[in-house]
Amino acid sequence: MQNKLFIPYILIIGLLFSCKPSIKNDTTKNKIKKTLDIPIFNSDSAYFFVEQQVNFGPRVISTKAWQNCSKFLVEKLNSYNADVQIQEAPITTYDGKNHILKNIIASFSTEKNNRIALFAHWDSRHVADHDSVNTNQPILGANDGGSGVGVLLEIARNISLKNPAIGIDVILFDAEDYGQPENSTYPLMSNSWCLGSQYWSKNPHKKNYFAKYGILLDMVGGKNAKFWQESTSSYYAPNVLKKVWNTAHQIGYSDYFVFRLSPQIMDDHYYVNTLAAIPTIDIIEFDPLTKTNFNKHWHTHSDNMNNVNKKTLKAVGQTVLNVIYSE
Ligand code: AHN
Ligand code: ZN
């Protein structure tokens, strides 16, 4: 008698349990589907893009290598079906020289108003002021300059294969690294760094241009690099910083992206934040063990291909891809 009463209950409970997992499965499926839609960042490809830039030689403003590299970047971005513009502007550097700088801007899905800007600098430093030899010679800037551009070219290649929901602008600044050396005998010039971003921030490539946020990549190829949360980024764009660092941790790059605050760094994002008012973070290596707090090869002749690491390029590139394809 008791057994007979239990049977319908067991059936109902059983039914409830069998329903639950099927709902769960659906959400799991959606999650998996979302992850599968995000392209895979190819670090061999990004590394090769760094190598191609470095092979031109130091990309110092007005030199032949700089000219050749600008052509390469424009052709490459055009081949990815971006709308490419070169923004030219006259500048005077701290040493009293006059040049015409070139910011290279590649826009995807220009019809979309909802946009994200990705920044890097494509020039390399004209002196090796942190080296003990050949201090007056320009550097290759494989990490300092080359790595950020290499990662962005690989992201552009992925965008050309599959469009994200949001519009993307890849903006490569010139003359970031022509800043006045500490021991310079020229009169002190303020704002001598980041000349390309200062110009663009005051004169965006498009009337009323706006992006909901920006991400700057600078020195993203050092071996075992640590990316701390830089203070200017955390002041102007705390939510972007959280979004990017959380994404990195979710996909397994917590060794690279550290939830600790590092001091302010004068870099292109400072001008994008203060002059263009686009909340922008800087993903930049921070090394508390070096005197400069940058990578130990910073502004030396050993900033070459031997010190560019594919795993670091992958950690940064995949994180940024996940962020933009989740928008
Ligand atoms: C300063 O040294 C003041 N800022 C560093 C910005 C930079 C140079 N990024 C790459 N090279
Ligand atoms: Zn530099």
Side-chain angles (χ1 to χ4, degrees):
M1 191 62 176
Q2 264 183 334
N3 267 349
K4 269 184 194 164
L5 268 171
F6 265 117
I7 289 165
Y9 283 119
I10 287 165
L11 277 175
I12 289 163
I13 289 165
L15 234 138
L16 280 172
F17 270 98
S18 68
C19 279
K20 244 191 162 173
S22 81
I23 292 163
K24 212 177 175 183
N25 271 344
D26 267 6
T27 37
T28 324
K29 253 188 221 158
N30 284 338
K31 267 189 193 157
I32 289 168
K33 194 170 174 283
K34 209 178 167 190
T35 342
L36 288 179
D37 279 347
I38 297 172
I40 293 168
F41 184 90
N42 185 326
S43 58
D44 294 320
S45 169
Y47 184 92
F48 182 56
F49 290 143
V50 181
E51 197 165 41
Q52 284 179 299
Q53 296 168 72
V54 166
N55 284 345
F56 289 111
R59 281 91 59 219
V60 176
I61 194 160
S62 305
T63 64
K64 194 77 206 149
W66 169 86
Q67 179 70 39
N68 289 340
C69 187
S70 76
K71 280 189 197 140
F72 162 75
L73 294 171
V74 168
E75 277 164 28
K76 186 56 81 184
L77 291 161
N78 268 323
S79 78
Y80 296 146
N81 300 319
D83 188 320
V84 184
Q85 297 180 47
I86 305 176
Q87 179 182 56
E88 297 194 320
I91 51 160
T92 304
T93 44
Y94 72 87
D95 50 8
K97 293 178 183 164
N98 294 315
H99 298 279
I100 311 267
L101 65 71
K102 290 179 198 280
N103 291 327
I104 298 168
I105 299 137
S107 302
F108 294 91
S109 303
T110 50
E111 76 286 357
K112 292 176 184 163
N113 286 322
N114 202 10
R115 311 192 65 77
I116 296 173
L118 305 175
F119 305 103
H121 73 90
W122 74 272
D123 64 311
S124 70
R125 187 148 177 78
H126 60 303
V127 287
D129 46 340
H130 284 264
D131 210 324
S132 50
V133 294
N134 298 324
T135 309
N136 294 322
Q137 297 298 309
I139 65 166
L140 286 173
N143 189 29
D144 188 358
S147 66
V149 173
V151 167
L152 292 189
L153 288 180
E154 172 57 9
I155 288 176
R157 187 184 71 80
N158 277 288
I159 296 173
S160 75
L161 299 175
K162 182 188 182 294
N163 242 336
I166 200 158
I168 302 286
D169 300 287
V170 169
I171 302 182
L172 308 179
F173 293 127
D174 195 2
E176 185 273 350
D177 235 341
Y178 212 110
Q180 185 162 20
E182 274 156 37
N183 60 359
S184 157
T185 54
Y186 288 100
L188 188 65
M189 175 181 165
S190 50
N191 302 307
S192 67
W193 299 85
C194 308
L195 299 176
S197 56
Q198 291 188 59
Y199 183 83
W200 179 85
S201 299
K202 291 175 198 157
N203 310 278
H205 61 286
K206 206 179 152 197
K207 218 177 146 207
N208 299 323
Y209 175 76
F210 191 71
K212 66 173 187 169
Y213 61 88
I215 301 175
L216 169 65
L217 306 183
D218 194 6
M219 301 191 268
V220 293
K223 192 175 182 211
N224 300 325
K226 304 278 181 209
F227 304 107
W228 290 35
Q229 300 190 312
E230 184 270 337
S231 288
T232 297
S233 312
S234 111
Y235 182 80
Y236 289 102
N239 296 334
V240 184
L241 208 47
K242 278 178 210 134
K243 190 201 291 260
V244 172
W245 260 246
N246 283 337
T247 302
H249 279 242
Q250 278 159 18
I251 62 175
Y253 298 121
S254 52
D255 286 349
Y256 294 90
F257 289 79
V258 183
F259 279 104
R260 288 179 71 169
L261 205 61
S262 66
Q264 268 192 295
I265 292 163
M266 174 46 68
D267 208 345
D268 292 318
H269 71 311
Y270 173 77
Y271 296 103
V272 176
N273 277 303
T274 57
L275 301 175
I278 296 170
T280 299
I281 64 160
D282 191 4
I283 303 180
I284 184 166
E285 181 178 352
F286 180 77
D287 186 346
L289 300 178
T290 63
K291 233 196 280 172
T292 61
N293 286 167
F294 292 129
N295 183 284
K296 63 181 178 215
H297 307 293
W298 185 63
H299 292 180
T300 74
H301 294 292
S302 45
D303 184 359
N304 56 34
M305 288 314 289
N306 297 331
N307 295 309
V308 174
N309 183 273
K310 287 184 186 173
K311 285 189 182 152
T312 309
L313 296 175
K314 170 77 179 176
V316 174
Q318 191 64 61
T319 298
V320 176
L321 265 186
N322 274 60
V323 167
I324 65 181
Y325 281 85
S326 302
E327 289 289 348

